[in-house]
Amino acid sequence: MKLLDGKLASQAIKDDLKTKVEELKKLGNKIPHLAAVLVGNNGASETYVASKVKSCEEIGFKSTLIRLEDTISEAALLEVIHKLNYDNDVDGILVQLPLPKHISEEKVIDLIDAAKDVDGFHPVNIGKMVQGSETFVSATPYGILLLLQHYKIETKGKHAVVIGRSNIVGRPISILLSRNDDPGNCTVTLCHSHTKNLKEICLQADIIIAALGKPEFLKADMVKQDAVIIDVGITRITDASKKSGYAIKGDVDFENVSPKCSYITPVPGGVGPMTIAALLMNTYKANSLNHDL
Ligand code: GUN
């Protein structure tokens, strides 16, 4: 078993981006600028957004964190997005999800300028991704592709089983892995809460992407010998023995599954850091496209 180390792979991407930013500075060109919008104070969202902003700083990107009360009206949040769309200094906009229940995520995402949608959630960018056109691919699925690429994992002709059909991870990664591309060219089965015989389907998988958000759901008896396992889960479980008061669990029973597989992502330190690296790649691309660099 070999670990798919997201910390290592993401550092290589960040180092490369840092060099590119230094080049931009030398040439007197505009450096990438990410604006992150955080509504409310959900603990996990706070941690993710702080990581995104810190990573921008590490590689020399400009970043702006816009913190808003969870009581903000939908109209007021839409106004914030509108201003960011028209701010020429801002290259990438991300609105951390989930949003409070009284705000329509769909309306917010639809309003983000597709050319600044570094999260790849806008319907125009989703459509382009489905067509196989050049676009912003959502950070988590893009990060998974970058990880597979980094470790030179052959995907062509493989059976990939995706568990979970969320708009953010499951559905897009199922489409990306089925595309005529590298990574890609998989035969993909997308499983969800109504799938029958999930265990039998998983046992046929060469690659499993577990993205359902249920801690330690994927057990060893569901995994074929030498399968590649990508664990997207990141759930906080109360744990009094930890300083933070919680432990992070993936969707895979790592202890028992890892001895069976050829490659597996750890949690934390697998897909998480790759999501951030992919977001930074998208922000760099938005800066280049929006300023003809
Ligand atoms: N919430 C969980 N994952 C994501 C993500 O990739 N982007 C945003 N904006 N919110 C999220």
Side-chain angles (χ1 to χ4, degrees):
M1 179 276 291
K2 201 165 183 283
L3 273 189
L4 296 171
D5 187 334
K7 274 195 197 159
L8 211 74
S10 68
Q11 195 56 52
I13 292 168
K14 289 203 277 189
D15 289 347
D16 182 47
L17 287 172
K18 193 172 175 181
T19 308
K20 286 183 164 145
V21 172
E22 278 157 14
E23 278 301 308
L24 289 177
K25 279 187 184 159
K26 261 192 224 150
L27 294 167
N29 286 335
K30 189 186 168 307
I31 57 166
H33 179 184
L34 175 71
V37 179
L38 175 61
V39 183
N41 41 23
N42 173 293
S45 292
E46 296 239 10
T47 308
Y48 299 148
V49 172
S51 264
K52 291 172 186 181
V53 168
K54 184 166 157 262
S55 297
C56 282
E57 280 162 16
E58 273 168 25
I59 63 166
F61 282 12
K62 188 172 167 188
S63 65
T64 303
L65 171 59
I66 299 167
R67 298 196 63 132
L68 303 166
E69 295 290 328
D70 61 1
T71 50
I72 189 172
S73 68
E74 185 181 274
L77 177 58
L78 291 174
E79 186 52 32
V80 170
I81 307 295
H82 185 71
K83 285 203 175 114
L84 292 172
N85 281 344
Y86 283 93
D87 183 340
N88 278 335
D89 195 60
V90 170
D91 301 295
I93 302 169
L94 87 80
V95 179
Q96 189 66 26
L97 304 179
L99 290 171
K101 290 216 162 34
H102 66 279
I103 299 176
S104 157
E105 290 185 353
E106 196 180 333
K107 272 194 200 164
V108 171
I109 289 166
D110 285 3
L111 185 66
I112 297 173
D113 180 350
K116 295 188 177 188
D117 168 40
V118 287
D119 254 330
F121 293 165
H122 191 280
V124 166
N125 291 325
I126 304 271
K128 286 186 180 175
M129 184 268 293
V130 172
Q131 286 179 325
S133 309
E134 188 59 37
T135 187
F136 298 114
V137 172
S138 310
T140 302
Y142 186 21
I144 294 171
L145 296 185
L146 291 169
L147 192 60
L148 292 169
Q149 227 164 25
H150 182 88
Y151 282 93
K152 299 186 171 52
I153 292 178
E154 178 65 86
T155 56
K156 188 164 65 179
K158 298 287 167 70
H159 182 197
V161 170
V162 179
I163 315 173
R165 57 180 159 182
S166 70
N167 285 341
I168 293 183
V169 189
R171 194 166 296 121
I173 193 68
S174 71
I175 294 164
L176 291 161
L177 287 175
S178 72
R179 295 196 310 190
N180 183 3
D181 210 339
D182 183 23
N185 282 312
C186 289
T187 302
V188 179
T189 306
L190 178 56
C191 301
H192 47 76
S193 50
H194 294 280
T195 298
K196 296 201 169 91
N197 307 323
L198 180 65
K199 182 175 163 182
E200 285 68 27
I201 296 169
C202 287
L203 281 167
Q204 292 169 25
D206 303 305
I207 302 170
I208 298 181
I209 315 275
L212 70 161
K214 286 198 179 160
E216 301 188 327
F217 176 86
L218 191 78
K219 303 288 183 204
D221 66 355
M222 300 166 80
V223 173
K224 182 169 86 171
Q225 189 68 37
D226 292 331
V228 175
I229 308 291
I230 309 287
D231 188 350
V232 185
I234 179 157
T235 307
R236 290 179 173 198
I237 304 282
T238 309
D239 183 341
S241 71
K242 303 269 179 197
K243 215 170 107 192
S244 60
Y246 61 84
I248 302 281
K249 292 276 175 213
D251 287 349
V252 178
D253 175 5
F254 185 90
E255 192 186 336
N256 295 305
V257 170
S258 54
K260 272 186 110 173
C261 34
S262 54
Y263 292 92
I264 186 166
T265 58
V267 176
V271 173
M274 295 309 295
T275 297
I276 295 183
L279 173 74
L280 298 173
M281 296 266 289
N282 280 345
T283 306
Y284 182 84
K285 178 167 156 172
N287 182 54
S288 307
L289 293 174
N290 294 336
H291 298 278
D292 282 334
L293 300 177

